[in-house]
Amino acid sequence: MRRRVTVATTGVAVLGLACLGVPFLLGNYGLHLLVLVSMYVALSASWNILTLAGQLTLGHAGFFGVGAYTSALLALRLGVPFPLGMAGGAVGAAILAAGVGFICLRLRGVYLAIATLSLVEALKIVVLNVPDFTEGPIGITLSPVFRGARLPAYFVMLGVAILPVLATVWIKRSKLHVIFGSIREDEGAAQMLGINTTAYKVFAFALSAFFAGLAGGFYPHYITYTVPDTAFNIGLSIEAQIMPILGGLYTVAGPVVGAVVLTLVGEYLRTTFGAANLLIYGIAMVLVILWFPDGLVGLGRRWWQARVPVPVREGVADVR
Amino acid sequence: MNPLLEVRELTKHFGGVLANDRIDLAVNAGELVGIIGPNGAGKSTLFELITGFAKPDRGAIRFDGRSLLGRSTYEINRAGIARTFQKMRLFLGMTALENVMVGAIPRMDDLGEVRARARECLAFVGLADREAMPARALSTGFRKRLELARALATRPRLLLLDEVTGGVDQRAIPALMALVRRLREEGVTVVAIEHNMRVVMDLCDRIVALHLGHVIADGPPAVVSGDEQVVRAYLGHAAA
């Protein structure tokens, strides 16, 4: 038990120092990659929160896009500075998600995934069809945040990435850990034990979307524009799902590991193999998921336990 | 004195099947009532209706004088009704302790308190030394106990047991029965659906027999088990 805590603490300390120190050594390209990694950590960790409560969704691109457009429109129409715009985007995404969660209460599994996926397309079509307000397919151009300096932009996105991870830690240490677990395993049984599953599911939707909206709220300020195709890009929903699965579902570290590995590997393949990169990426994904169903974190844990025998903690749902 | 649970004219169709047909049932506080009947008699449907998993077509359900109609399952539980399921519905991936904690959570704020209450309930059913095991790793008998502990954690006044001895090793049955008796001594009113006649006869103050959605007998075990209609429902016309 103690050894495990030490490992975790050391890991967090090293990672923390790396996050804060390494950027100073990097050029613009390296910093841009780190911004992307952080953005994907935010999406992946926030998706994982909703999944902790048993809600398999593909709507994260929608929540991200609402964050992006809310923030960009606030800047364009009202001259709102980006931190307030981000807050607006996050709150907007959370409100939307609470509504979606409420409407989709009775949908389970794949049906919920399909419904939330169609939300992304629906939102894109809405944005495209009111060009007087949203600028339509041309999108919105913004002036570069921090006058184009990458380092401060990275630190903002790093903050955005840390929040959903901290939220996951909080969930795991509070009553929510057991409540979300019960909803994930058997919603009816949870209700029979007095759990207001509706309220907790809607809360999970809102909390998860809040962080996705926050990331979305910053992104257009960073890349200086937003268009419907990139803001409401179904690919984002898929990645937000694949990253935690690859890293290790329901864990704190899994979504982070998955986002870091997949973003960097994806970038390496893209620059090295050109057009074939997605093929290789896809095959690698399939193999990893087939061979390591509990993700990279699970793999690492097994490797560690084989090296340093510690009493195995029982209880699958309690895995951190 | 008003009965703790009062069901009147309760009716439920599933398509063309009349699962519950104008069922009347009253359970007084402190009673231990058994519900018997052949497969398809409507026993589990009755529980589904009382606990809000299904909506009745007609009729009334009152608990402690208040109507339960239109209330959601979690509200019904908070009013004081707990239930176990015929096909157990444990949170298999969670530990025994975590399973029971779920039931304690809506009633207390502090996580330490929740854990303590859950341990109490586990100890009551004899699972104290297995709290760290995943529910999946428990035998059927222990799973039944865990479901009981979980229901108890909600501090019910009325406990609905759906075949608590079903699928359990014969040797494990007496201990489960003793557990139900102790529950009643603690002041919990119990309604138990039970297939094992020996268990019902031994355990219950009163037996209600259902057949094809109707109540066909309601009275002391000795009377109901000798009832002509009940015997006919179980064994067919030739035997009667």
Side-chain angles (χ1 to χ4, degrees), chain A residues 246 265 269 278-290:
Chain A
L246 180 95
V265 167
L269 291 175
L278 287 179
L279 186 66
I280 298 169
Y281 183 93
I283 292 172
M285 279 298 318
V286 171
L287 292 181
V288 169
I289 288 171
L290 278 179

Side-chain angles (χ1 to χ4, degrees), chain B residues 152-204:
Chain B
L152 284 186
T154 70
R155 296 192 190 279
R157 286 197 287 157
L158 172 67
L159 182 58
L160 308 176
L161 300 176
D162 201 341
E163 295 199 27
V164 76
T165 64
V168 175
D169 190 333
Q170 287 296 322
R171 284 163 302 176
I173 289 179
L176 275 171
M177 284 170 66
L179 206 55
V180 176
R181 278 203 195 90
R182 269 176 60 211
L183 272 175
R184 191 257 276 280
E185 281 158 24
E186 301 267 316
V188 181
T189 307
V190 180
V191 178
I193 293 175
E194 189 53 69
H195 264 305
N196 188 326
M197 275 312 279
R198 213 168 343 144
V199 172
V200 206
M201 297 291 294
D202 213 27
L203 199 61
C204 303

Side-chain angles (χ1 to χ4, degrees), chain A residues 173-175 177-179 181-182 185-197 200 314-318, chain B residues 51 53 73-74 77-78 81 83 89 91-95 98 101-102 105-109 111 132 134 150 154:
Chain A
R173 294 190 174 175
S174 70
K175 294 193 288 187
H177 172 57
V178 177
I179 293 171
S182 71
E185 296 244 353
D186 188 333
E187 211 180 315
Q191 283 170 1
M192 196 64 250
L193 295 171
I195 304 288
N196 183 353
T197 56
Y200 284 108
E314 286 171 296
V316 189
D318 200 36
Chain B
T51 53
F53 278 83
T73 300
Y74 84 91
N77 173 264
R78 288 181 188 190
I81 302 182
R83 169 190 179 184
R89 293 175 69 169
F91 309 122
L92 290 175
M94 293 161 59
T95 64
E98 286 171 338
M101 282 170 71
V102 178
I105 276 173
R107 277 148 201 88
M108 31 191 74
D109 288 322
L111 196 58
R150 205 174 65 165
T154 70

Side-chain angles (χ1 to χ4, degrees), chain A:
Chain A
M1 204 54 213
R2 173 169 298 162
R3 178 176 284 128
R4 200 189 163 100
V5 170
T6 323
V7 172
T9 319
T10 318
V12 168
V14 170
L15 190 67
L17 284 176
C19 288
L20 296 175
V22 169
F24 289 96
L25 310 172
L26 294 174
N28 271 347
Y29 173 65
L31 280 171
H32 176 68
L33 272 185
L34 284 190
V35 172
L36 284 185
V37 167
S38 305
M39 187 189 88
Y40 279 115
V41 168
L43 285 174
S44 151
S46 63
W47 182 87
N48 191 52
I49 289 175
L50 203 37
T51 313
L52 272 175
Q55 307 304 297
L56 182 64
T57 60
L58 282 172
H60 260 58
F63 306 140
F64 177 89
V66 166
Y69 264 89
T70 308
S71 166
L73 282 170
L74 283 172
L76 177 74
R77 306 280 181 220
L78 303 172
V80 172
F82 82 88
L84 279 180
M86 286 169 71
V91 171
I95 292 171
L96 172 82
V100 170
F102 193 76
I103 293 167
C104 295
L105 271 179
R106 290 184 170 277
L107 298 179
R108 308 267 145 88
V110 182
Y111 300 98
L112 181 63
I114 293 169
T116 47
L117 184 66
S118 59
L119 167 80
V120 180
E121 277 303 301
L123 286 169
K124 180 165 46 175
I125 290 167
V126 168
V127 170
L128 284 170
N129 278 285
V130 283
D132 292 342
F133 181 59
T134 63
E135 307 292 312
I138 300 156
I140 300 168
T141 307
L142 300 166
S143 53
V145 71
F146 302 120
R147 296 202 182 82
R150 297 269 165 102
L151 198 61
Y154 158 71
F155 282 114
V156 172
M157 202 55 115
L158 180 67
V160 170
I162 288 171
L163 286 177
V165 178
L166 288 180
T168 311
V169 173
W170 167 67
I171 288 169
K172 294 256 173 189
R173 294 190 174 175
S174 70
K175 294 193 288 187
L176 285 173
H177 172 57
V178 177
I179 293 171
F180 279 7
S182 71
I183 297 175
R184 194 167 78 223
E185 296 244 353
D186 188 333
E187 211 180 315
Q191 283 170 1
M192 196 64 250
L193 295 171
I195 304 288
N196 183 353
T197 56
T198 299
Y200 284 108
K201 278 162 71 175
V202 169
F203 171 72
F205 263 94
L207 184 69
S208 172
F210 181 89
F211 298 123
L214 204 57
F218 183 63
Y219 193 64
H221 286 281
Y222 170 69
I223 57 165
T224 72
Y225 70 91
T226 184
V227 292
D229 275 332
T230 56
F232 299 98
N233 174 9
I234 282 170
L236 283 182
S237 285
I238 311 265
E239 305 224 49
Q241 174 189 39
I242 285 177
M243 287 166 171
I245 292 175
L246 180 95
L249 266 181
Y250 311 136
T251 61
V252 173
V256 180
V257 172
V260 172
V261 169
L262 278 189
T263 311
L264 296 182
V265 167
E267 184 68 11
Y268 169 77
L269 291 175
R270 192 174 63 81
T271 50
T272 315
F273 294 98
N277 79 86
L278 287 179
L279 186 66
I280 298 169
Y281 183 93
I283 292 172
M285 279 298 318
V286 171
L287 292 181
V288 169
I289 288 171
L290 278 179
W291 286 336
F292 315 118
D294 53 353
L296 296 175
V297 168
L299 180 71
R301 187 177 286 131
R302 268 182 280 140
W303 175 79
W304 179 254
Q305 278 169 357
R307 260 191 75 229
V308 188
V310 284
V312 179
R313 275 194 78 200
E314 286 171 296
V316 189
D318 200 36
V319 164
R320 306 214 157 167

